[in-house]
Amino acid sequence: MAKEARFQLQQMARILAVSARQLRRYVWERFKKRAKRWLDEMRAEAAKQDFARGELAKTASTDVRFKHASNFTRFLKRVTGETPQNLMHQIAMSEIDKKCPQKVRDVRFR
């Protein structure tokens, strides 16, 4: 387990008044995932929420505690399979779909 993930788990365990090992067991029982994978998914979800609010990738990377944007890009690619630019594009397109009337979206181009 990476040093940062171990530190985050220890902090969470301290807040919950359980051991880090017990917290890892709980995460496995509850989510059927290793604690590091679960933490990574939570960080990626927080980044997606930043993108939905219109934040830039550099700002989102800082918010989820990455020192370098390149590490953040690699992290998102590993966890979600998408780059920050692709995620921002998907979120923007989903917002357009929400705001655009259905009959306008159904128009087919020849």
Side-chain angles (χ1 to χ4, degrees):
M1 183 180 300
K3 189 176 182 180
E4 179 70 22
R6 189 176 300 121
F7 178 71
Q8 289 174 340
L9 274 175
Q10 288 172 347
Q11 284 183 321
M12 288 172 59
R14 196 173 301 123
I15 290 169
L16 297 171
V18 297
S19 68
R21 176 69 183 119
Q22 184 61 36
L23 180 59
R24 286 194 302 271
R25 268 191 226 108
Y26 174 75
V27 169
W28 178 257
E29 289 172 9
R30 178 77 168 92
F31 302 108
K32 301 295 184 221
K33 297 177 184 173
R34 293 192 181 268
K36 181 176 182 342
R37 179 68 183 180
W38 177 72
L39 282 172
D40 286 348
E41 289 175 359
M42 294 296 105
R43 287 175 86 185
E45 187 59 37
K48 286 181 187 179
Q49 290 174 0
D50 284 350
F51 294 151
R53 286 193 305 269
E55 299 289 341
L56 298 174
K58 182 136 180 135
T59 308
S61 71
T62 305
D63 289 348
V64 292
R65 297 183 181 256
F66 280 91
K67 291 182 182 177
H68 303 286
S70 60
N71 293 342
F72 175 65
T73 300
R74 197 174 312 113
F75 164 79
L76 273 184
K77 183 82 169 163
R78 179 176 52 85
V79 174
T80 66
E82 299 286 341
T83 62
Q85 184 177 3
N86 288 346
L87 284 173
M88 287 188 286
H89 178 72
Q90 289 174 3
I91 290 168
M93 293 308 291
S94 69
E95 290 298 317
I96 289 171
D97 285 344
K98 289 177 190 174
K99 294 176 182 176
C100 187
Q102 182 66 34
K103 60 184 176 182
V104 172
R105 282 185 276 157
D106 289 340
V107 173
R108 297 192 190 266
F109 294 99
R110 293 182 190 209

